[in-house]
Amino acid sequence: MASLAMYPDDERLAGAARAAFNLYMITAVVLFVLMMLIGLTMRMAQATWLNVPPALFYELLSMHGAGMVGTMSLATTAVMWFFLRKYVRLRLWAFVTNYVLFLLGALCVVLSIFSGGYGALWTFLYPLPIHGMGMWTPGSSALFMVGNLLIGVGSLLFYLDAAAGIIEVHGNLGRALGLQWLLGGTIDPDHPKAVVAGTMVIISNSLGILAGAVALVMSLVNILYPEVVLDALVAKNLIYWFGHQYINATIYMGVIAVYELLPRYTGRPYPISRPFLWSWAVSTVFVITVFPHHLLMDFAQPRWLAITGQLVSWGAGFPVFLVTAYGALTNLYRSDIRWTMPSRLLILSMFGWAAGIVPAILDGTIRNNLVMHNTQWVPGHFHFYLLIGVLSMVLALMFHVIGRRAHAPPNSRADKLGFPVYLMGGLVFVFAFLDAGHLSVPRRMAEHLPAWTFTDKIGSIGAMLVVLAMLYFTIRIMAGLLKAPSAGSAGVGIADAAG
Amino acid sequence: MIVQDVVWTIALAGMGLIALGFIHVIVQAGRPADETAAARSVHTAHTLQAWLFVVLLVGFIAGSWATLHRFPIPPQHGALDAKQVVDVAGRMWSWQITPATVRTGSAVEFRVTSGDVNHGFALYAPDGRIVTQTQAMPGYTNKLLHTFDRPGTYTVQCLEYCGIGHAPMTTTFQVVAPEGE
């Protein structure tokens, strides 16, 4: 069971580990702000408050999508690493190599977009990358693919190292997932939730990354040898199998922060249970099999795949509502919680995930998808659980870590002001998207009809508030992480010094 | 009844219920329960969880049956026997639709494909809301079946990002009342 000590000794970081953690988190918050500014620019362009030429808009859209997905993965990888290393041996070189490959990959992506004009979005949907029509060249598409491959290789390396560490301790991934306790037996109360969640991510996202690698290499072959024609439907299945699992893995890595930190703030144990193990076991299957809901409007897809997409989308709500969010609320109910930045963000993250999944489930219903697919309903629901859900998980850990130096979680006046700005801005931002989807406003469009700009303007205002709050969070977190270790704490790692 | 309005209402209700649940718990937090009350709370929480599971399960079964027992996508292999057939081909960045006029009251089969990249064939009613859609994918023909109940000028809008000309990739489509009406 996770410790109830606010800053346990086994979370101390030292030397290179401290530097690596700092690099991950500082890079992540800076990139989040930059990607948010790009997002704000696009919303203001749709609102006709800014003049952004379509070619630039789609470059920004490609950058925002690839940048946000990559950064969210980078940040939540650090969350998983931070906690998992307490329970299994993780090799620092694998963690650092992932960071280096991410930077190299990100450099390729940035160059492909802003130097090569690449604008086929982060989904690189075949065969668009070879049809730049003067906006981008096949070479820039190839560079984008190489960048994604580097980022994927880094993630896979980290997962392989984590898998090795977990297997060393637990024997195999099934036992780490707790499958031996699903139908009976006494559950080991010390079996770490971080190991269960980490194992699930390793299984599902490794498959996703491999699918993505196949799609990327196939696309590269097509770019280099255009006479090699791919099957568009197969390519789309591979891309969404990869994309869905890659972004979903960020939620499941991020939620480890909730499992580990929430009981410390409520002062109440958050024990592992059979429903918890069941929820992670079925979530593993669901995350791997739910991707056909991205292809519900591809009628050539076999019918059983579309039905699977809908049923699994609905089923995915069970573990979130019944176990994760419900468990967090049970832990919070009538507890002696101390409301500080980390605890506020932890509870907000649970709300973002649980509430955001409602419009996602509705969109995963074939009948609804016929009128909601590729409208702004889609960014509405995924921003709900990524911005309000996952980013809050990451921020909660960052604020928790910077509180270590003062031996007290951050709770300054500015923090108390920044939190509601972030919350209100986030809600206005996502509800503007959802309402636009309800009104049939398309997503991914540089030019909007006058009838569509009202929700764009509301969304822009929400985005401004989010950016404002995030700018403050970034400065606060960077200052906290970069503070020198306090006197007398020689040998104490960054997490100790970082507050 | 417009599907989007139903979806919007259900979404707001669902998210509202979740928000109320969070607010209820947050209001209680910070007022720690004594040992007896804590034990009672745990028992109540387990009972509520079991009921929530039952409610979700019933909703899952009933909802799946209601939305899938008449499968909303027509069979793709074999004839659909629709009285009206429209061939649709998307190409960067225009639509070729033959014929461009159909009648209300009887099913229209749209045979949708693409000559280059993926496009999204979405039909917007005169009031600006989507009535139906499918993907236009190179190498495949998706069959979409729709019966129009309101005449007017419908707009076809590409809904799958397809490059710099994506937003202007639009055309109009006429739906008229049957002859004699």
Side-chain angles (χ1 to χ4, degrees), chain B residues 9 12 23 25-26 36-38 43 46 51 54 57 62 77 98 101 134 141 144 147 154 157 166 171 181:
Chain B
T9 306
L12 289 178
I23 290 168
V25 173
I26 288 167
T36 319
H43 177 74
H46 284 141
W51 275 108
V54 171
L57 192 63
H77 303 289
T98 317
T101 302
T134 187
T141 299
L144 172 68
T147 303
Y154 285 65
Q157 173 70 59
H166 169 55
T171 189
E181 282 190 15

Side-chain angles (χ1 to χ4, degrees), chain A residues 54-55 58 119-121 125-128 131 133 135-136 231-233 236 296-300 303 306-307 310-311 314-315 318 321-323 325-326 329-330 332-337 339 347 350-351 354-355 358-359 362 365-375 377 384 431 434-435 438-447 452, chain B residues 3-5 7-8 10-12 14-15 18-19 21-22 24-26 28-33 37-38 41 44-46 48-49 52-53 56-57 59-60 63-64 66-68 70-76 92-93 116-118 124 128-135 137-138 140 142-144 157-164 166-168:
Chain A
Y58 294 122
L121 310 188
L125 196 57
Y126 173 84
L128 187 57
H131 288 270
M133 304 289 271
M135 186 175 154
W136 65 87
D231 183 304
L233 190 57
K236 193 171 181 181
L296 296 178
M297 292 303 101
D298 288 286
F299 295 172
R303 182 174 285 195
I307 293 172
Q310 173 170 329
L311 294 181
W314 286 36
F318 279 72
F321 294 136
L322 275 172
V323 180
Y326 194 88
L329 287 181
T330 307
L332 173 65
Y333 185 74
R334 296 203 67 182
S335 67
D336 192 15
I337 192 164
W339 287 114
I347 296 302
M350 286 289 91
F351 171 72
V358 174
L362 288 166
T365 307
I366 299 169
R367 275 174 200 281
N368 301 340
N369 204 251
L370 278 164
V371 293
M372 309 301 272
H373 183 70
N374 276 348
T375 66
W377 189 265
F384 210 128
F431 273 101
L434 289 172
D435 190 32
H438 153 240
L439 297 171
S440 296
V441 179
R443 68 186 291 207
R444 293 171 170 163
M445 210 166 260
E447 301 128 303
W452 296 340
Chain B
V3 177
Q4 288 95 326
D5 292 343
V7 171
W8 182 232
I10 295 172
L12 289 178
M15 290 186 285
I18 290 168
F22 271 79
H24 171 70
V25 173
I26 288 167
Q28 302 288 331
R31 287 190 280 160
S41 292
T44 309
H46 284 141
L48 275 176
Q49 191 179 31
L52 184 59
F53 176 71
L56 289 178
L57 192 63
F60 178 84
S64 298
T67 55
L68 290 173
R70 279 177 52 213
F71 198 66
I73 297 170
Q76 298 296 301
M92 296 165 111
W93 292 285
D116 40 44
V117 301
N118 291 284
Y124 278 71
R129 306 292 275 275
I130 298 171
V131 293
T132 192
Q133 66 172 302
T134 187
Q135 289 275 296
M137 181 177 269
Y140 290 88
N142 289 329
K143 295 178 184 175
L144 172 68
Q157 173 70 59
C158 181
L159 274 198
E160 185 66 60
Y161 171 69
C162 55
I164 196 168
H166 169 55

Side-chain angles (χ1 to χ4, degrees), chain A residues 23-74:
Chain A
L23 280 172
Y24 264 78
M25 287 313 193
I26 290 173
T27 305
V29 285
V30 170
L31 287 180
F32 277 134
V33 170
L34 290 175
M35 294 306 119
M36 281 180 179
L37 285 169
I38 288 177
L40 173 62
T41 304
M42 289 188 293
R43 289 302 272 149
M44 290 178 70
Q46 289 173 330
T48 65
W49 285 345
L50 272 183
N51 184 20
V52 178
L56 177 60
F57 182 94
Y58 294 122
E59 287 174 17
L60 294 176
L61 186 56
S62 302
M63 189 66 251
H64 179 79
M68 277 299 190
V69 172
T71 307
M72 201 60 92
S73 180
L74 184 82

